[in-house]
Amino acid sequence: MSRGGGTSSRVLYERGLRVIPGGVNSPVRAFRAVGGVPVVFERGEGAYLIDVDGRRLLDLVMSWGAMILGHAHPAIVSEVEAAVRGGTSFGAPCPDEVKLAEHICKVVPSVERVRMVSSGTEAVMSAIRLSRAYTHRSKILKFKGCYHGHADSMLVRAGSGVATLSLPDSPGVPPGAAEDTLVAQFNNLDAVADLFDENQDNIAAVIVEPVAGNMGLITPNHGFLEGLQSLTSERGALLIFDEVMTGFRVGPSGAQGLYGITPDLTTFGKVIGGGFPVGAFGGRAEIMDQMAPAGPVYQAGTLSGNPIAMRAGLTTLEHLTDPAVYEALESRSYALVDALANEAKNAGVALQTSVVGGMFGFYFAEHTVNSWEEAETCDRERFASFFHGMLEAGVYLPPSPFEACFISTAHGDSEVEYFQIAAGSVMKTL
Ligand code: KE4
């Protein structure tokens, strides 16, 4: 019996393979990290997804964090239904884009101006261009294992040895696009200081996931984010917090509110679109007003500020204004992780876990994980076995050991119990 999706998933996946590269519209969905046939989903409701074979699975991916209110939340459904009746795109300003921008500027103190785009990648790409224009510098410093979308300058890997020139991490990325990106180890401030020393005053910005959610889940060491803020400020570079994942996921004003850091620019995505294609980037007015047409830095988008996406995003954020919502999300994340850790302990399985707000992560490893170098040595085979065991038991985890798990306000005590029973049965088989 093949692992993963059922018969109808397999049929649809095989049809997809004939017309879509790899049968998917985003690589991680292809189950390459865990093997087996991807699950094709028909619909979602609350904390669950129903696949095309009628299986109801507890969802811990939640569209990679976007669906923080759960699938098909009644308020979003009714607001979107109403908005759609008025048309779906005008290519002109609409009331909800102003309201959503006002909301973000109100709840994220570092943001005085925000520009809507249609993906996290687009938000990051634009923020990088803006930081280069604002500082008149060209180099960007990122961290190994942090993912910021697929713009050329972000698809790089560290140069070998002392060479600080990065190398393309994908065919099609020209060396010229890669060599202005520097790569340091996450949680290693000395490495950042060294790169600033080596590159003098040519670093435009440091971009970081304040909580790294694209290599499992790694929290910043005490002082790491503060150190980045000091280094960038002292050296005339901008600090970009990529909060595409953490924005409105880990707290009412994202990771910057949680850790008390004021970045110069922030990128957003996922939650702010309520499941529709939305990204955004924002920051101080004196920086953001460099963006066309207020300033000379060009960026544009046919569907930026789309009225339906804005309505879905605004409705979502309006349900996230009470800090108690995040306290409840975090306590639910801990309940899930504690259940997982207990079952692993009972089964004698080495597991590392971490929680921040409505997201959590785990590694099958004896050692603690504070960087990519430590994450990549986790037991990937064991993860794949656990993934498929949990799928068989009715729980849909991210199909890669280098992703984070996401919950929603629809995940309640019964979901924790369901998860614990599944984890208990599967851990014993590892
Ligand atoms: P999108 O272009 O996929 O909307 O956003 C790119 C992006 C930027 N920054 C961060 C911190 C992100 O996590 C992402 C996208 N996250 C992945 C999940 N690991 C999206 C899932 C996928 O690629 O299919």
Side-chain angles (χ1 to χ4, degrees), residues 362-382:
F362 59 92
Y363 298 95
F364 288 103
E366 303 275 355
H367 59 277
T368 55
V369 179
N370 286 299
S371 67
W372 166 251
E373 291 74 10
E374 291 167 339
E376 69 175 340
T377 57
C378 72
D379 188 333
R380 304 180 199 198
E381 295 305 313
R382 184 164 259 189

Side-chain angles (χ1 to χ4, degrees), residues 41-355:
F41 290 106
E42 187 83 52
R43 60 188 176 85
E45 54 188 29
Y48 297 86
L49 285 171
I50 293 88
D51 74 10
V52 288
D53 291 282
R55 276 194 309 175
R56 189 168 181 266
L57 300 172
L58 175 59
D59 184 10
L60 289 174
V61 180
M62 299 313 286
S63 184
W64 304 101
M67 305 317 294
I68 197 164
L69 299 183
H71 295 291
H73 187 282
I76 293 183
V77 172
S78 61
E79 285 294 336
V80 165
E81 276 179 346
V84 162
R85 294 186 200 291
T88 52
S89 182
F90 314 135
C94 69
D96 282 345
E97 70 186 327
V98 177
K99 292 175 188 170
L100 183 54
E102 286 172 338
H103 186 101
I104 293 171
C105 292
K106 188 171 123 211
V107 301
V108 186
S110 70
V111 177
E112 295 175 335
R113 299 274 194 286
V114 61
R115 168 63 56 86
M116 301 295 169
V117 294
S118 297
S119 72
T121 293
E122 201 181 347
V124 166
M125 181 176 72
S126 309
I128 285 172
R129 182 179 310 134
L130 173 57
S131 69
R132 286 171 162 158
Y134 181 77
T135 61
H136 305 292
R137 299 177 177 184
S138 59
K139 293 201 183 292
I140 300 291
L141 192 158
K142 73 176 290 289
F143 295 90
K144 197 166 186 180
C146 285
Y147 176 69
H148 303 288
H150 63 87
D152 280 354
S153 61
M154 292 291 100
L155 294 183
V156 303
R157 56 187 162 82
S160 56
V162 293
T164 54
L165 290 192
S166 296
L167 305 171
D169 205 14
S170 165
V173 175
E179 64 192 23
D180 274 334
T181 305
L182 308 170
V183 183
Q185 185 185 52
F186 188 74
N187 270 328
N188 185 338
L189 272 179
D190 292 343
V192 178
D194 291 347
L195 284 170
F196 268 104
D197 291 343
E198 287 160 26
N199 290 276
Q200 294 309 323
D201 296 332
N202 195 16
I203 294 179
V206 171
I207 185 167
V208 67
E209 290 181 61
V211 173
N214 284 289
M215 45 176 156
L217 198 162
I218 299 179
T219 53
N221 288 345
H222 181 70
F224 177 62
L225 298 176
E226 292 80 354
L228 292 183
Q229 186 170 42
S230 307
L231 272 169
T232 49
S233 159
E234 286 155 16
R235 308 300 289 261
L238 298 186
L239 177 59
I240 304 175
F241 263 22
D242 180 352
E243 296 221 46
V244 166
M245 187 182 275
T246 55
F248 301 98
R249 164 66 48 188
V250 301
S253 44
Q256 56 195 271
L258 202 58
Y259 294 104
I261 301 288
T262 304
D264 298 296
L265 291 173
T266 303
T267 54
F268 301 96
K270 298 179 195 282
V271 170
I272 68 164
F276 282 77
V278 177
F281 61 103
R284 294 195 303 277
E286 54 122 1
I287 302 176
M288 288 298 294
D289 283 346
Q290 294 297 307
M291 296 306 297
V297 184
Y298 197 70
Q299 177 276 329
T302 301
L303 295 174
S304 299
N306 171 272
I308 314 305
M310 296 296 100
R311 180 67 60 86
L314 188 60
T315 305
T316 300
L317 299 197
E318 285 170 346
H319 280 73
L320 298 171
T321 52
D322 180 353
V325 170
Y326 291 96
E327 287 155 22
L329 279 170
E330 182 154 276
S331 68
R332 193 78 71 218
S333 294
Y334 271 110
L336 289 161
V337 160
D338 291 346
L340 187 65
N342 289 336
E343 296 306 337
K345 185 161 171 280
N346 295 341
V349 171
L351 193 78
Q352 307 293 327
T353 62
S354 55
V355 170

